[in-house]
Amino acid sequence: GIAFVLGFYMVGHTIQKAGIAPATVASKLSMIVTIIAAVFLYGDKLNIPMIVGIVFAIGSVFLTSVKTPEDLKSLGKVIKLPLYVLAISGVIEIGLNYAQMRLLRPDEYPLFLIVAFGFAGVLGAISLLVSRLRGKVIFEKKALLAGIILGVPNYGSLYFILKGLNDAGLQSSVFFPLTNISIVGCASLAGWLIFKEQLSKMNLLGLALAACAIVLMTYFSQ
């Protein structure tokens, strides 16, 4: 719950200060932390094709998220903020992985997430109240509505991450990279199809790397 609150705050702050691309790169590159933890804590085995696939996955996240040269400049100017996002996102993924492997039965996933989100909600409410009493923030109904709209898919995504870790038959060192590059790849394609965003050669290369990574990690992990 603490990590959820910090994570949402840091992602929002990073987007404000540096833009969407650095925040996206940092949150999805948390897979690096998760992979290292899976190998050293849980004994995940990686062969050469899988390692190449993971390297491709890391490259694809970077290439598909960075749209313009200004994005690179923004990332360089405020490197601390994306690093904080990366670290917190890594802690969340490691926590989910540990809970799924060591603590939870499948029928306990909803209760686990309700407790985590509930505790995050309590902490957020306390923070909001303190900020309101100090006159630093004004409560707006649209913020509450936006939070609900954001919270519902986030709850669903975490539930299916737990289900995927349990049912997919993949090591977590493979599952998380596949999940992260799929999210970034689908978001890029949606931006192109729905919002008519232009994909640069670098973005297209990132999508190609994502496809190669998916093939390598799924085929050679069996």
Side-chain angles (χ1 to χ4, degrees), residues 12 24 49 69 73 75 80 82 107 133 172 174 182 200 203 218:
T24 303
K73 293 178 182 178
L75 182 60
K80 286 184 179 181
D107 62 312
L133 292 174
S172 57
V174 173
S182 298
S200 66
N203 299 150
T218 53

Side-chain angles (χ1 to χ4, degrees), residues 128-208:
L128 177 64
L129 178 60
V130 172
S131 298
R132 180 71 182 88
L133 292 174
R134 291 180 176 179
K136 293 183 177 181
V137 66
I138 299 175
F139 181 80
E140 298 184 30
K141 291 182 179 179
K142 64 180 181 180
L144 179 62
L145 177 62
I148 294 172
I149 294 172
L150 182 63
V152 172
N154 266 281
Y155 177 91
S157 68
L158 292 176
Y159 174 77
F160 286 112
I161 282 176
L162 291 173
K163 289 282 288 181
L165 287 168
N166 186 68
D167 300 340
L170 296 171
Q171 297 181 140
S172 57
S173 56
V174 173
F175 180 84
F176 280 108
L178 286 176
T179 302
N180 285 333
I181 61 175
S182 298
I183 291 170
V184 173
C186 288
S188 296
L189 290 175
W192 175 58
L193 292 172
I194 299 173
F195 301 108
K196 309 303 180 184
E197 292 182 357
Q198 296 299 313
L199 296 177
S200 66
K201 292 180 179 179
M202 189 164 60
N203 299 150
L204 294 174
L205 176 59
L207 291 174

Side-chain angles (χ1 to χ4, degrees), residues 48-130:
I48 296 300
M50 291 166 64
I51 293 174
V52 173
I54 289 170
V55 173
F56 281 3
I58 294 170
S60 73
V61 168
F62 184 82
L63 292 173
T64 53
S65 300
V66 175
K67 302 294 184 183
T68 66
E70 285 70 27
D71 291 336
L72 288 174
K73 293 178 182 178
S74 298
L75 182 60
K77 289 179 181 178
V78 288
I79 191 65
K80 286 184 179 181
L81 291 178
L83 286 178
Y84 291 150
V85 172
L86 188 152
I88 295 170
S89 299
V91 167
I92 291 173
E93 290 183 355
I94 292 171
L96 289 172
N97 193 19
Y98 179 82
Q100 185 275 325
M101 290 183 66
R102 302 290 173 85
L103 301 177
L104 301 175
R105 300 189 309 270
D107 62 312
E108 295 175 322
Y109 295 165
L111 177 59
F112 167 73
L113 293 175
I114 288 171
V115 171
F117 273 79
F119 192 71
V122 170
L123 291 177
I126 293 173
S127 175
L128 177 64
L129 178 60
V130 172

